[in-house]
Amino acid sequence: MEVDNSDSSNQQRTLEHVRAAAKAAGIPPSNSTVQLLQFSNTQDSEEIKLLQLPSEVKNALTLGERVVLRGDKDENAVLCTNNSTYDLRIGETSNSLLLCPSLLYPNEPELRTSGHLVTQEVAGCLFDVLELRKCRPKLEKLKQLLWESPYRGPLEEEKDEEKRIQSDVTTCHKYTLSDLLEVIQASETEIMDELHKMEACLIDGYWRVFDLDYRDEVFQHILTLLEEKDWSWKMVPLDMCCESLSELHPPFVIRHCLDCYGVPQVREEDGTVIYELIEERVCQFYAELLLRPAGKFNYQEFMESWQQSVPLGMTTDLKQLKGLAMTDMNTMPPVIWHFPVDSLPQEPADRFAKLFRTREKWTYDSLEPYVKDLSTPTQSLNALLLKYTRSSTNPNGVKTYNAKQTAL
């Protein structure tokens, strides 16, 4: 193959010219078709970008799946498949890349024809390639959008709608899945996973989170009903629960709260839906109910109040509060306070910075619940700890982690 940068109107290459040039260069003669590359006079390399595809993205395109670029003007672009997100970066190459639209490949029969010279046009010359690197979905905006207008019950919804009409406001801070896909830098699967993690509910086609006070009120009503009806927390009948609380809350609200704190089962004999409440989730609910408004709580008093508040037959355990609350056993008296992981920044550097502002030294067991969600297929938890922390061993032989100042 030879590259010709001359004007074809002044000089026409022949097969003999090419063979002579190859011989002078020490290239063994070939009986196959020779391709002569000639630069186009109208090439515009800016109109074409090369994208290097990981096998997962290539397979998605081969299967006809939707692949889309997402990002506002002030954001770095990402590429999303149905279930993954990739950072889009420019990678420079040490060699020029020539774009030849009709170049023949070794397995094509036309190339095996002897004694032919084929001129191929070079449509462009590139010096960089767009690279994809799998990354964590960027979901912080999702939380911001959904908390703009939390669901506070049908009465409050009516009041909000009346205010909106009276003030002639056309903006509606409610979002469908299509709306979210337009502005969130994440795949549809990752967005749906986060919506379920946030315990969002699909209401009239819009994804909504429940106002915390409203959610607490609804679930407390359910738990109070259990006591009044003498129902076991392991067998909560959905229909009877909805019927008993129908004057207070819509059925879909009752069902959503039970989905958040329990597991449904369908009786084979009559098709009745029965929920078994999840002990850990209910204990966490009561812990947050006590800790959220309290600031720092006397540890011993909290543990006693916590156990007394949960339904009969449930047992509270400090392990249930991993990623939800922090303790300081070195003060007099020891204290505990609300510190949920979902209130922390999504970016690793910001997350570690806030953690080390809260506490100077961490053990692995205390730190892990607050950073494990930051790991990705390309960056393990150990790699994150190595990048953002410095480890040491205290006099008792316990390994602790503190901030690596250069990283933060």
Side-chain angles (χ1 to χ4, degrees), residues 5 7 10 29 45 58 64 102 126 182 188 192 194 211 222 234 268 276 292 296 313 342 353:
N5 200 26
D7 190 336
N10 297 329
S45 300
K58 178 185 174 183
S102 56
L126 300 178
E182 289 296 320
E188 182 172 342
M192 290 301 300
E194 186 67 14
D211 175 80
I222 294 174
K234 295 183 179 181
E268 294 183 2
E276 178 180 354
R292 198 183 297 126
K296 291 192 175 181
D342 57 16

Side-chain angles (χ1 to χ4, degrees), residues 147-176:
W147 282 109
E148 288 176 355
S149 179
Y151 183 77
R152 296 179 294 166
L155 293 179
E156 293 299 323
E157 286 286 297
E158 290 178 9
K159 292 179 183 178
D160 291 343
E161 184 63 21
E162 288 177 4
K163 290 179 182 177
R164 193 175 71 85
I165 294 173
Q166 291 172 2
S167 59
D168 198 27
V169 175
T170 56
T171 303
C172 177
H173 295 293
K174 293 187 289 187
Y175 302 90
T176 64

